Amino acid sequence: MDEERIDLTPLDPAFLPSHWPKTVAATQVRIDAVLLERERLRDPLTTIAGWMKPLLVAAAVVIAILIPVEIALERAENRSEQVQQLVGLSTDWAQGHQLTGADLLRVLRSGGRQ
């Protein structure tokens, strides 16, 4: 689509015959480095060890999310127990038992725990 042509003459081995062996040698060195790295990574223990950092980060994120959720659930559970006890006290009062302000305060202060 472009009217301007790309000059590929530097890739021609005959363009600079003295430069070509250096280019080939440099390319082979880079290829050998990549192949050695791949060979090193084929070891299963090395592969698993490479997972350690991402797994630790994921575990930390999960814990950071779960702790506030657990705290919120505990508070909701305590409130639920407190409401159940207040309902029980109200039921006792409706049946004619004597309730005092101390009974209500005891339930409210206990946070739903007996």
Side-chain angles (χ1 to χ4, degrees):
M1 293 295 195
D2 285 340
E3 297 295 324
E4 190 176 321
R5 292 186 164 236
I6 298 173
D7 182 21
L8 298 177
T9 53
L11 298 177
D12 183 11
F15 178 65
L16 286 173
S18 62
H19 180 65
W20 189 249
K22 292 177 188 175
T23 303
V24 171
T27 303
Q28 286 177 337
V29 166
R30 290 194 308 258
I31 290 171
D32 289 341
V34 169
L35 291 176
L36 282 173
E37 182 67 18
R38 282 187 184 173
E39 190 174 304
R40 185 183 68 80
L41 291 177
R42 287 188 186 155
D43 177 24
L45 293 177
T46 305
T47 302
I48 293 170
W51 298 343
M52 185 174 67
K53 192 172 186 178
L55 286 177
L56 287 175
V57 169
V61 168
V62 167
I63 288 172
I65 291 171
L66 288 181
I67 287 175
V69 169
E70 176 63 23
I71 291 170
L73 289 175
E74 281 291 325
R75 287 183 182 165
E77 184 178 317
N78 288 341
R79 286 186 196 124
S80 174
E81 290 174 5
Q82 187 178 22
V83 168
Q84 288 174 353
Q85 287 182 0
L86 288 172
V87 168
L89 285 175
S90 298
T91 305
D92 288 345
W93 176 75
Q95 293 174 352
H97 295 99
Q98 287 287 338
L99 292 179
T100 65
D103 293 331
L104 291 174
L105 275 176
R106 180 181 46 80
V107 171
L108 291 173
R109 284 185 180 158
S110 71
R113 296 178 303 274
Q114 292 264 343

